[in-house]
Amino acid sequence: MTLIGWIQILTFCVIITALVPTLGWYMTRVFNNEWTPLSPVLRPIEIALYRMGGVDERREQDWLTYTIAMLLFHVAGFALLYGLLRLQGVLPFNPQEMGAVAPDLAFNTAASFLTNTNWQNYGGESTLSYLSQMAGLTVQNFVSAATGIAIAVALIRGFARASARSVGNFWVDLVRTTLYVLLPICIVGTVALIALGVPQNLDPYVEATTLEGAKQVIAQGPVASQMMIKHLGTNGGGFFNTNASHPFESPSTYTNLIHMVSIFAIGAALTNVFGRMVGDQRQGWAIYAAMGVLFLAGVTIVYWAEAAGTGILDGLGVSGGNMEGKEVRFGLAMTALFAVVTTAASCGAVNAMHDSLTPLGGLIPLFNMQLGEIIIGGVGAGLYGMLLFVVIAIFVAGLMVGRTPEYVGKKIEAREVKMAMLAILCLPLSILGFTAFAVAIPSAVASMGNAGPHGFSEVLYAYSSQTANNGSAFGGLTGNTMFYNITGGLAMLIGRFLVIVPAMAIAGSLAAKKTVPKSSGTFPTTGGLFIGLLVGVILIVGGLTFFPALALGPIVEQLAMRAGELF
Amino acid sequence: MDSSTLRKRVPASTLLDWKTVAPAIGASVRKLDPRALITNPVMFVVWIVAVLASLLLVRDLVAGAPGIGFTLQIVLWLWFTVLFANFAEAIAERRGKAQADSLRETRTRTKAKRLLVPGNTELFEMVWAEELSPGDLVVVEAGDLIPGDGEVVEGMASVNEAAITGESAPVIRESGGDRSAVTGGTTVISDRIVVKITAAKGSSFLDRMIALIEGAARQKTPNEIALNILLAGLSLIFVFAVATIPSFVAYAGGTVPFVVLAALFVTLIPTTIGALLSAIGIAGMDRLVRFNVLAMSGHAVEAAGDVDTLLLDKTGTITLGNRQATAFRPLRGVSEQELADAAQLASLADETPEGRSIVVLAKEKYGIRGRDLAELRGRSIPFSANTRMSGMEVGASWVRKGAVDSVIAFLDSPPVDTGGNVAQALRPRLGADAVRDINAIAEEIAKAGGTPLAVAKDGRLLGVIQLKDIVKGGIRERFAELRRMGIRTVMITGDNPMTAAAIAAEAGVDDFLAQATPEDKLRLIREEQAKGKLVAMCGDGTNDAPALAQADVGVAMNTGTQAAREAGNMVDLDSNPTKLIEVVEIGKQLLMTRGALTTFSIANDVAKYFAILPAIFVAVYPQLGVLNIMGLASPQSAILSAIVFNALIIVALIPLALKGVRYRAIGAGPLLRRNLLVYGLGGVVTPFIGIKAIDMAIVALGLA
């Protein structure tokens, strides 16, 4: 670990923390349907969109109507994307003449982009047409991100409103998020990325002759525009198979920084939106702090593990930490930071191969995802996931002050506990269940790139990543098989919708409750005590479940590596 | 009143004496019936696991598999886990049993005299008490047991309610007014009354009380339901965590025996709180009963812990029931001694507490000895609502004391011929100065929360006796405590706002409602509730009934009317309104105990993972031996000590579950810090020490 490395990491933290209140202020105005600096330009477009869609923007929905609207929107989105992938061979914008995507892969890919996961069992440049990339994937990149944010805002409204039936209008939230939040930031960011050397064109691939005389096909296309939304919307699906480690996706440390900041920006700022909407910004900061504690601990461990490297490499005369699978232009610190950022935030873009991290360095990304992507998390998904843990933490410890547990004035009762447990349950169910299933099937085991605990980690990572809607791949595992396409697709759908629906049910039941005024007998939810409690409950309730699996994967591998054994 | 001075019906018995333990052991075996266990999801799951493990043990026995001793021990401890949970519940139930038994005796078959014709108390038929239905009229005479709950509609009697309250001093019950309710099972010891039966068979006060004490009628409270969901959810999470291990281990080339998985699973699921949850609830109810408060539902007890606003009647709760003389304030030209002397004379025949307090003050402060009425040959003038004065006439001399305006009016009025009474002749006209002075003094007293009584002697105004509401000792501290709990106190009084404000300030309540009518009370409760607050109050009169019903916690006084008792969700058998504060504390204690043990139970899991996981995995990956940070002797001893610890901790925590975690009014923040430290951090650390110690014992005994 170097001083420069730490300065880079802290710079990133400062930028994000500075963005929290500013972006939070702006987004709060967007979701409260208030005037924003962009309104003069965007308001006419917004009104036109409502008129086209026949949406009455003043009519709010109760939680069930909101949820049904969201689900219908996704059913339609799924059909559209699946159809596009299957028919891309006969559709335009296909200069490389890519054929139809196989049914199981199309299912997996459609589920993946619908759920904001962007797990890629395909190589973008070798499978998809430009039309599939732009009209299929990029569209879903926007709307799946907007959906996550909309659900988070609906849940925030549940906490903020008192004795209310409605939690907002899904269509309005979807439109305003896309129009006022995602698009403007993407446009500015894309221009910046183009200026920093990221390509943006619709040209066919270029064939080049290398110095050795070999022919090399250099893929290109509308890269910059997809980069911005891929990170800002915590989607993570790269234009190229090697994702953000590809020099066209991220040519320099500056683009690397832009990528990382865009991954965290909205998720972090939503904590502030929460604070503002419930009328006490400190509530938002407390959640941000709990996320921050877990985040910094993760970064420290990964950076340390990678910088320490392995005795085996040292023995071969390679010094300076574990650089296997990393890009030299980013270095150890920025790779470690990116690995934690992308897995903490359900993005899944990578700027290095996680398969090549040291076992301990690979454990943290794995663990981040298994916690359910609540450390900043996917846009929106991170906040509502975290709030589910808050509900559990408050209920467990809140009784200890001798009152029915309350959070921001809302009593936490049977219904909220039930729904939160339901949502949290689906993580171990899907991650551990599918992993146990896969490692018991010889053909699925055969897909592993490595033997022993490392192979186990690959499968565990795959299901953790898909269930948590992260989308980053550990590498090594050959995912494009019928088995992994289908089970993975199911894991993504479970991890998305079995969390969203209970979260919405909580939003509905909270909105209907009265707000209890604060007194000195109220459980304090802003100080260090609460932050510590929340972190403790996340680690014990959320994390301990995965301890047996982690012990058999990265932990035993790390111990073996120290003894000089590799897998 | 301080909580320690509250009379308790049953002395707080030693927690675990043999007389309760022996039958509880029997009960815990009977409770192994799965139909009884199914209401407790966590323990039911343990039961299923224990049954499965037992079946496998039988299979192993038949097959003669090796390592049977280890399997047998695990199976035994699985059963012990369930038994200990049952034992905890049985102990809690036993503690109320003796009390319930004595109550049941009074319910033995009683004969009732049912009136055949309403209004004619001579014409009745003898029927069994249980044949009575609501609306029946019965006559009860001295020596009779009152056959059922009801309302006195005619007459007045003294009733011994010891069966209900434990207090043997008789109480007066009369028709009309606020003391008309009678309870079945109590005895009339004088006079005769006609009672209209109000409670149907099986739902009488006594029935409910027995059911409550025995825990039979215990319904799960809202928080308990939520907690059960949480525990069931956690158990399900651990099903996934444990059920996937065989596949993972098989991939790594090993196997895990079922009993080991069973042990891991049972130690991970929150058995500690699961086992003690119902005992905590029963003990909480029991604690209330020991305070002579009957909660009609568990919901009310929990709501008590959540109360934000406490409405307290001034008289009897905040102040002593009666006002007392605290000073003599003479007019100019009159000595205090002279005023005290006249005041004492005027009060000699006054048997009210106020009158007596004047005599006492005169004696204590001015050394004026008691005088014998007979010796004085005086004639006492009793208080009347008309004159609002009382006094004394001795020969030609007279004294009067009373409301200031009444005394002035009396002095001002033209002489009336009262049959040649010389006293009237001595009456001079009243000076304007004296009237102004006396009004000034009176106002000053009223502002300070007192009541002025003017004293006149032989036509001359002497001064004012200052009567004051005496705020109960220690009540100010109690209110400060409530404030730290986050509870707002509102004093309800019929006094004028000026007096009310002064008393409110002296007692340290947060707010007051002066000149309050029952409608005002109801309105105040609704306003508070609209703000999202939970309101507690107590009351006794029929006109309190709507407010009692509206309040989230309504404590009715046992001396009150049947209407009030029906409206409230708690009944205070001692009729002591101050107890509301204790009720709130008991509610809080109940919630805290649950929270503390839940936190403890969940925090325990960390150590159990570190005990059992290396034991399971070390066979396939010897490197994982480093996770055995406790240095447990062998895989078998590690697994065994974890499950033994898990079972024994239930027994160890029974006393805490029954006694409850102590509530401290130090505010939520410090309270949480303290409890998190004790039960959270303590919950992480304790099992590391406990499991290590048990492991050493197991090795020493050669069990594994």
Side-chain angles (χ1 to χ4, degrees):
Chain A
M1 292 193 281
T2 61
L3 183 65
I4 297 291
W6 276 112
I7 289 174
Q8 287 177 313
I9 290 168
L10 289 180
T11 306
F12 170 76
C13 295
V14 170
I15 294 173
I16 294 298
T17 309
L19 277 176
V20 167
T22 27
L23 197 53
W25 170 83
Y26 174 74
M27 292 205 302
T28 307
R29 295 194 72 86
V30 171
F31 300 127
N32 283 340
N33 297 340
E34 290 167 323
W35 182 90
T36 69
L38 293 179
S39 295
V41 186
L42 296 175
R43 184 69 187 150
I45 306 173
E46 190 191 352
I47 292 170
L49 281 172
Y50 295 144
R51 202 161 293 155
M52 270 160 53
V55 173
D56 178 359
E57 62 171 319
R58 277 155 308 179
R59 178 179 291 169
E60 294 219 327
Q61 299 161 321
D62 61 38
W63 78 269
L64 197 59
T65 318
Y66 196 103
T67 312
I68 290 171
M70 181 275 298
L71 289 174
L72 285 177
F73 180 68
H74 280 78
V75 170
F78 184 88
L80 211 64
L81 182 53
Y82 184 82
L84 196 58
L85 292 173
R86 299 283 294 134
L87 299 173
Q88 68 171 3
V90 296
L91 292 171
F93 294 105
N94 189 8
Q96 295 304 119
E97 298 184 349
M98 305 287 185
V101 180
D104 57 326
L105 182 59
F107 164 72
N108 186 281
T109 306
S112 170
F113 280 78
L114 198 73
T115 57
N116 195 248
T117 311
N118 295 27
W119 173 266
Q120 293 166 297
N121 271 344
Y122 62 90
E125 64 270 44
S126 60
T127 319
L128 299 182
S129 71
Y130 285 166
L131 184 73
S132 297
Q133 292 265 27
M134 292 191 303
L137 307 190
T138 308
V139 167
Q140 282 300 329
N141 277 351
F142 274 95
V143 294
S144 68
T147 300
I149 298 173
I151 300 292
V153 170
L155 182 57
I156 295 174
R157 291 197 188 110
F159 278 105
R161 290 180 178 180
S163 314
R165 286 196 64 242
S166 62
V167 292
N169 181 315
F170 175 71
W171 308 112
V172 173
D173 287 340
L174 189 72
V175 167
R176 287 185 72 90
T177 307
T178 312
L179 215 52
Y180 286 81
V181 181
L182 298 175
L183 270 176
I185 303 179
C186 275
I187 290 169
V188 174
T190 304
V191 171
L193 287 178
I194 293 171
L196 288 166
V198 179
Q200 175 81 5
N201 58 47
L202 290 173
D203 302 337
Y205 298 169
V206 175
E207 227 173 82
T209 311
T210 65
L211 286 176
E212 289 120 12
K215 291 251 178 197
Q216 190 184 351
V217 177
I218 298 177
Q220 54 178 343
V223 183
S225 58
Q226 192 177 329
M227 281 311 98
M228 260 331 278
I229 187 60
K230 147 189 161 190
H231 298 121
L232 187 69
T234 61
N235 293 289
F239 196 90
F240 303 104
N241 198 19
T242 53
N243 213 298
S245 61
H246 193 292
F248 280 179
E249 286 205 4
S250 187
S252 65
T253 44
Y254 297 109
T255 52
N256 192 54
L257 182 66
I258 291 179
H259 290 345
M260 288 191 297
V261 170
S262 1
I263 293 173
F264 261 21
I266 292 179
L270 274 171
T271 60
N272 187 256
V273 174
F274 173 75
R276 285 179 195 268
M277 283 198 174
V278 301
D280 182 2
Q281 286 196 51
R282 288 176 309 162
Q283 302 286 358
W285 285 114
I287 290 180
Y288 180 71
M291 292 171 167
V293 168
L294 290 165
F295 172 70
L296 282 178
V299 173
T300 308
I301 293 172
V302 177
Y303 189 24
W304 174 81
E306 295 310 303
T310 89
I312 298 162
L313 279 176
D314 292 348
L316 295 170
V318 182
S319 61
N322 172 31
M323 278 301 289
E324 184 196 310
K326 297 185 181 63
E327 295 295 304
V328 177
R329 67 184 184 282
F330 303 137
L332 282 174
M334 285 299 95
T335 307
L337 183 63
F338 201 108
V340 179
V341 165
T342 194
T343 51
S346 160
C347 178
V350 290
N351 76 347
M353 293 302 109
H354 289 184
D355 192 28
S356 301
L357 295 173
T358 59
L360 192 59
L363 182 141
I364 295 300
L366 198 50
F367 191 62
N368 279 341
M369 296 186 294
Q370 289 168 342
L371 290 182
E373 303 289 23
I374 50 168
I375 307 166
I376 305 296
V379 283
L383 184 69
Y384 64 68
M386 188 56 141
L387 288 174
L388 294 174
F389 268 106
V390 168
V391 165
I392 298 296
I394 289 281
F395 190 79
V396 167
L399 284 172
M400 281 199 293
V401 301
R403 282 174 73 93
T404 296
E406 295 157 12
Y407 184 60
V408 294
K410 296 290 186 166
K411 279 196 166 38
I412 304 298
E413 290 166 305
R415 185 170 168 81
E416 290 75 38
V417 173
K418 189 194 291 173
M419 291 300 153
M421 278 320 283
L422 209 61
I424 289 173
L425 264 178
C426 74
L427 291 168
L429 170 70
S430 174
I431 295 175
L432 295 175
F434 281 123
T435 305
F437 189 29
V439 300
I441 294 176
S443 66
V445 172
S447 286
M448 295 178 187
N450 300 79
H454 197 76
F456 181 78
S457 296
E458 288 169 3
V459 175
L460 183 64
Y461 195 102
Y463 289 111
S464 301
S465 173
Q466 294 181 84
T467 305
N469 298 145
N470 180 279
S472 71
F474 204 44
L477 186 75
T478 311
N480 188 11
T481 66
M482 178 76 93
F483 178 83
Y484 284 108
N485 277 335
I486 290 176
T487 52
L490 290 175
M492 290 185 273
L493 295 174
I494 291 174
R496 181 75 164 181
F497 296 105
L498 285 191
V499 176
I500 284 184
V501 175
M504 284 304 299
I506 292 179
S509 90
L510 286 178
K513 292 184 189 202
K514 288 178 192 162
T515 300
V516 183
K518 220 174 134 189
S519 77
S520 63
T522 310
F523 187 101
T525 54
T526 48
L529 197 61
F530 171 72
I531 296 165
L533 168 74
L534 185 56
V535 169
V537 167
I538 289 169
L539 291 178
I540 293 181
V541 175
L544 269 187
T545 324
F546 300 97
F547 189 42
L550 292 172
L552 293 173
I555 293 176
V556 71
E557 201 189 340
Q558 176 82 15
L559 294 167
M561 184 188 80
R562 262 199 260 155
E565 193 187 350
L566 293 180
F567 295 94
Chain B
M1 192 189 285
D2 187 59
S3 62
S4 59
T5 63
L6 281 173
R7 180 181 43 81
K8 290 172 187 167
R9 182 210 313 277
V10 177
S13 61
T14 42
L15 223 43
L16 298 172
D17 58 12
W18 185 242
K19 261 199 285 184
T20 34
V21 168
I25 291 175
S28 40
V29 176
R30 278 195 302 279
K31 282 168 183 277
L32 283 177
D33 185 340
R35 283 166 300 180
L37 273 170
I38 198 133
T39 51
N40 183 340
V42 176
M43 293 326 292
F44 185 66
V45 166
V46 179
W47 183 87
I48 292 174
V49 170
V51 168
L52 287 178
S54 304
L55 291 175
L56 288 175
L57 176 70
V58 173
R59 191 199 63 183
D60 285 1
L61 272 175
V62 173
I68 206 85
F70 173 68
T71 312
L72 176 69
Q73 288 188 62
I74 298 277
V75 169
L76 281 179
W77 282 102
L78 288 176
W79 283 114
F80 278 138
T81 310
V82 186
L83 282 172
F84 290 163
N86 291 346
F87 179 71
E89 193 181 76
I91 280 279
E93 285 171 355
R94 269 326 286 185
R95 297 214 304 161
K97 202 87 177 169
Q99 220 170 328
D101 287 346
S102 71
L103 282 177
R104 199 171 275 125
E105 279 168 32
T106 58
R107 210 182 48 172
T108 46
R109 308 193 76 181
T110 318
K111 282 267 189 176
K113 299 166 182 166
R114 180 160 66 190
L115 295 190
L116 291 170
V117 185
N120 186 345
T121 55
E122 300 307 320
L123 219 59
F124 57 76
E125 54 174 346
M126 295 299 286
V127 295
W128 292 111
E130 56 196 46
E131 290 166 21
L132 293 172
S133 50
D136 284 351
L137 293 174
V138 293
V139 59
V140 192
E141 288 165 308
D144 290 350
L145 271 176
I146 296 176
D149 290 4
E151 190 113 30
V152 181
V153 290
E154 192 184 319
M156 174 174 125
S158 55
V159 177
N160 181 341
E161 295 195 335
I164 303 288
T165 63
E167 175 64 73
S168 55
V171 291
I172 301 294
R173 291 285 180 254
E174 59 190 338
S175 63
D178 289 348
R179 296 169 158 268
S180 62
V182 287
T183 309
T186 55
T187 318
V188 171
I189 50 179
S190 74
D191 305 299
R192 98 199 230 137
I193 46 177
V194 176
V195 174
K196 183 175 180 183
I197 299 294
T198 53
K201 180 186 163 228
S203 67
S204 73
F205 200 63
L206 210 57
D207 293 320
R208 272 189 285 180
M209 197 162 162
I210 292 169
L212 270 174
I213 294 168
E214 289 189 327
R218 219 176 68 81
Q219 287 169 325
K220 286 210 175 92
T221 59
N223 269 314
E224 214 176 341
I225 292 169
L227 193 51
N228 257 318
I229 291 170
L230 177 82
L231 299 181
L234 286 173
S235 303
L236 211 51
I237 287 182
F238 289 119
V239 169
F240 303 144
V242 174
T244 49
I245 287 179
S247 168
F248 297 165
V249 174
Y251 166 80
T255 54
V256 194
F258 178 81
V259 278
V260 172
L261 288 178
L264 175 63
F265 175 67
V266 168
T267 51
L268 289 182
I269 62 174
T271 46
T272 314
I273 178 67
L276 297 173
L277 192 55
S278 70
I280 295 169
I282 298 170
M285 214 48 138
D286 191 47
R287 231 171 291 139
L288 265 188
V289 174
R290 273 163 211 278
F291 265 115
N292 268 355
V293 173
L294 285 189
M296 297 305 161
S297 70
H299 179 81
V301 187
E302 246 171 32
D306 286 347
V307 159
D308 301 285
T309 307
L310 216 52
L311 303 190
L312 296 163
D313 280 325
K314 183 199 79 177
T315 307
T317 311
I318 295 170
T319 61
L320 295 171
N322 307 294
R323 289 173 292 198
Q324 296 194 348
T326 52
F328 298 115
R329 306 276 303 271
L331 286 176
R332 259 174 300 174
V334 181
S335 75
E336 282 188 39
Q337 193 74 26
E338 192 181 353
L339 172 62
D341 189 75
Q344 191 246 22
L345 188 62
S347 307
L348 271 183
D350 186 351
E351 284 301 322
T352 64
E354 290 171 12
R356 263 175 292 176
S357 79
I358 294 170
V359 177
V360 169
L361 182 72
K363 181 177 175 185
E364 281 178 355
K365 215 166 162 191
Y366 302 98
I368 296 166
R369 305 285 304 270
R371 281 173 277 203
D372 192 353
L373 267 179
E375 210 172 281
L376 281 171
R377 281 194 298 277
R379 188 168 74 91
S380 71
I381 314 287
F383 177 85
S384 87
N386 251 343
T387 60
R388 293 165 70 210
M389 287 188 300
S390 62
M392 178 76 80
E393 287 177 359
V394 182
S397 177
W398 58 266
V399 285
R400 289 282 190 283
K401 72 169 200 296
V404 177
D405 50 346
S406 308
V407 173
I408 291 171
F410 175 66
L411 291 178
D412 251 354
S413 60
V416 176
D417 185 15
T418 53
N421 192 327
V422 281
Q424 295 296 337
L426 289 173
R427 173 207 279 275
R429 299 295 294 172
L430 201 57
D433 278 1
V435 172
R436 203 180 48 239
D437 283 358
I438 206 153
N439 278 331
I441 295 171
E443 198 183 324
E444 197 183 307
I445 291 172
K447 262 188 194 151
T451 308
L453 279 186
V455 178
K457 184 177 182 181
D458 300 338
R460 192 163 71 106
L461 262 182
L462 295 181
V464 180
I465 306 169
Q466 179 176 339
L467 288 180
K468 244 192 115 183
D469 265 319
I470 303 299
V471 171
K472 282 185 178 175
I475 199 90
R476 205 185 162 82
E477 289 69 36
R478 296 302 296 272
F479 289 145
E481 203 175 280
L482 284 168
R483 200 167 304 120
R484 282 196 298 273
M485 288 184 195
I487 297 172
R488 206 168 76 92
T489 43
V490 181
M491 181 181 86
I492 309 286
T493 173
D495 291 346
N496 63 58
M498 204 195 286
T499 310
I503 296 170
E506 192 186 341
V509 292
D510 297 312
D511 206 349
F512 64 88
L513 186 65
Q515 287 167 343
T517 62
E519 294 74 40
D520 292 337
K521 236 185 199 178
L522 191 60
R523 195 176 324 119
L524 180 66
I525 293 174
R526 290 208 172 120
E527 276 168 17
E528 290 286 306
Q529 286 173 335
K531 286 187 242 164
K533 294 181 176 181
L534 257 60
V535 183
M537 67 161 289
C538 52
D540 50 8
T542 300
N543 54 14
D544 280 335
L548 277 173
Q550 180 71 32
D552 300 280
V553 177
V555 181
M557 300 295 110
N558 193 42
T559 53
T561 59
Q562 192 63 26
R565 291 201 330 194
E566 292 288 329
N569 46 17
M570 291 194 194
V571 174
D572 178 11
L573 300 174
D574 296 336
S575 305
N576 169 10
T578 321
K579 257 202 278 181
L580 209 48
I581 300 170
E582 270 85 17
V583 170
V584 168
E585 279 185 8
I586 288 173
K588 286 194 177 295
Q589 211 180 7
L590 178 69
L591 295 177
M592 274 173 56
T593 311
R594 276 192 206 136
L597 290 179
T598 308
T599 307
F600 184 83
S601 195
I602 294 171
N604 269 207
D605 280 354
V606 181
K608 290 163 183 173
Y609 269 113
F610 279 99
I612 297 186
L613 278 194
I616 296 179
F617 293 157
V618 81
V620 280
Y621 293 124
Q623 300 95 326
L624 287 176
V626 296
L627 292 180
N628 180 9
I629 53 176
M630 283 174 269
L632 305 178
S634 69
Q636 276 86 1
S637 75
I639 294 164
L640 211 49
S641 21
I643 190 137
V644 170
F645 173 84
N646 192 59
L648 290 184
I649 196 75
I650 296 174
V651 182
L653 290 175
I654 290 178
L656 181 69
L658 296 186
K659 267 200 331 226
V661 172
R662 217 185 112 201
Y663 180 77
R664 290 156 206 267
I666 48 177
L671 193 64
L672 181 66
R673 183 171 303 121
R674 212 193 111 83
N675 285 336
L676 267 184
L677 205 67
V678 175
Y679 300 100
L681 203 61
V684 173
V685 174
T686 312
F688 279 101
I689 301 165
I691 291 174
K692 178 68 185 168
I694 292 169
D695 181 70
M696 295 197 308
I698 282 174
V699 171
L701 294 171
L703 293 172

